[in-house]
Amino acid sequence: MDRIEREVAQPAGIPIKRVSVGNIRDDALDPAHRFASMPLFVRKPDGRRGMARRQCTAEYKIRPIREAVRLFLGATLKANGRPGRPPRGSAVTQSIGISRDEIMRAKDSQVSYSRHDFPLLDLTGAADGRPGWKRSDCVRYLRTRGFGKTPKSACVGCPFRNNAGWRRLRDTDPRGWADAVAFDRAIRHGSVRANTTGASLRGEFYLHSSCVPLDEAPIDRVTRHEWASRQTDLFDAIADTEAGVDDEIGCSPFTCRTDLYEEIS
């Protein structure tokens, strides 16, 4: 983002505004802070496995972006310090970079002051001529513009990270891996705040779907989903390999992958 701001946005006169409501890792481990539920994998007392409710996308992504939009449109701050409704009739168009591979994430806005636009879906794929750019099309374009090694965005401790993603974190970012392992251990019994007040959640919570500690999880095993995702045409395979993309799961600044895991009963 620093490079985009310096080399692309500023010369074009495009302002970049970064928003945040805090660090979800720090908040989850803070006994004084309300915990926004993450989609953690849970082993229930009866041995069944499931998945916790997901609130992190709404609270740490959508909420701060929408509040920034309301301020941009002229909303005034309420007594609690948060912006109220923008002036009647005012609205923005949010262009969101969702590719054809993840078209299920392209959804209409649920608020009247923001309209969603998905420009990547209006382009034509270079490899197959079909409507919508795939991720490999984005990689090719970035590479021609000098952004060949653009990583996918995702929280270090996101439970939606697949085995390939966990392996890459372990093998290329020892500090991030250690942080994820420590966080996985710290949330074993759920919300730290709930535990402090005596209202701990039932079951044990994990970052990996196997419901074993992350540093013991079978992340070197190639799943059927991962193997199938590798069976692509040679043109796309070369593009992905050159960019170092592989099949790691990403998570955009505005949406979250909801199709990756079905609740395990």
Side-chain angles (χ1 to χ4, degrees):
M1 284 304 301
D2 289 338
R3 185 180 172 194
I4 289 175
E5 186 167 22
R6 181 179 64 253
E7 299 181 13
V8 180
Q10 289 181 353
I14 301 173
I16 290 183
K17 181 175 179 60
R18 309 184 195 206
V19 298
S20 174
V21 290
N23 183 303
I24 191 170
R25 182 193 191 284
D26 295 341
D27 293 345
L29 302 181
D30 181 358
H33 196 283
R34 192 187 75 79
F35 177 55
S37 179
M38 297 171 59
L40 300 169
F41 294 97
V42 55
R43 186 182 297 279
K44 302 175 183 179
D46 61 4
R48 292 185 303 155
R49 290 183 294 165
M51 198 173 222
R53 194 158 53 105
R54 175 176 55 87
Q55 298 172 308
C56 47
T57 290
E59 296 202 19
Y60 285 84
K61 297 179 183 181
I62 297 177
R63 174 187 143 191
I65 290 176
R66 284 183 174 168
E67 289 186 352
V69 167
R70 294 202 296 270
L71 287 174
F72 175 78
L73 291 173
T76 57
L77 295 178
K78 298 186 294 185
N80 61 5
R82 298 176 61 180
R85 298 281 303 178
R88 183 182 296 274
S90 62
V92 300
T93 296
Q94 286 186 243
S95 294
I96 305 173
I98 292 178
S99 62
R100 190 209 311 169
D101 317 67
E102 301 174 345
I103 194 170
M104 73 291 295
R105 296 163 69 179
K107 300 177 181 179
D108 293 334
S109 170
Q110 298 178 339
V111 293
S112 61
Y113 56 82
S114 176
R115 305 182 183 95
H116 288 178
D117 177 52
F118 306 97
L120 295 179
L121 301 181
D122 296 330
L123 302 174
T124 301
D128 55 18
R130 293 172 55 192
W133 268 16
K134 297 175 62 178
R135 177 166 177 81
S136 53
D137 293 308
C138 299
V139 170
R140 294 186 191 92
Y141 178 81
L142 288 169
R143 191 170 60 251
T144 63
R145 296 297 187 272
F147 289 87
K149 294 185 178 180
T150 303
K152 294 184 179 181
S153 62
C155 294
V156 169
C158 180
F160 282 159
R161 192 183 293 271
N162 61 10
N163 282 347
W166 287 124
R167 289 196 299 272
R168 178 174 288 108
L169 183 68
R170 179 195 62 191
D171 299 339
T172 65
D173 184 4
R175 182 175 179 179
W177 172 251
D179 191 44
V181 169
F183 180 69
D184 172 74
R185 188 179 302 117
I187 50 86
R188 188 70 69 239
H189 300 291
S191 167
V192 173
R193 180 179 182 182
N195 294 333
T196 302
T197 58
S200 59
L201 303 178
R202 298 177 65 224
E204 294 184 333
F205 295 79
Y206 300 86
L207 291 182
H208 193 268
S209 59
S210 60
C211 286
V212 299
L214 183 58
D215 53 352
E216 301 175 18
I219 65 173
D220 289 301
R221 180 172 61 88
V222 176
T223 64
R224 287 192 299 271
H225 174 81
E226 184 182 341
W227 177 256
S229 69
R230 292 180 180 181
Q231 311 310 303
T232 183
D233 62 85
L234 181 61
F235 191 62
D236 285 350
I238 292 174
D240 289 348
T241 300
E242 287 181 354
V245 173
D246 195 53
D247 58 356
E248 183 177 352
I249 292 167
C251 198
S252 87
F254 193 74
T255 62
C256 180
R257 291 293 300 268
T258 57
D259 61 310
L260 298 174
Y261 297 99
E262 296 181 355
E263 182 168 345
I264 306 170
S265 60

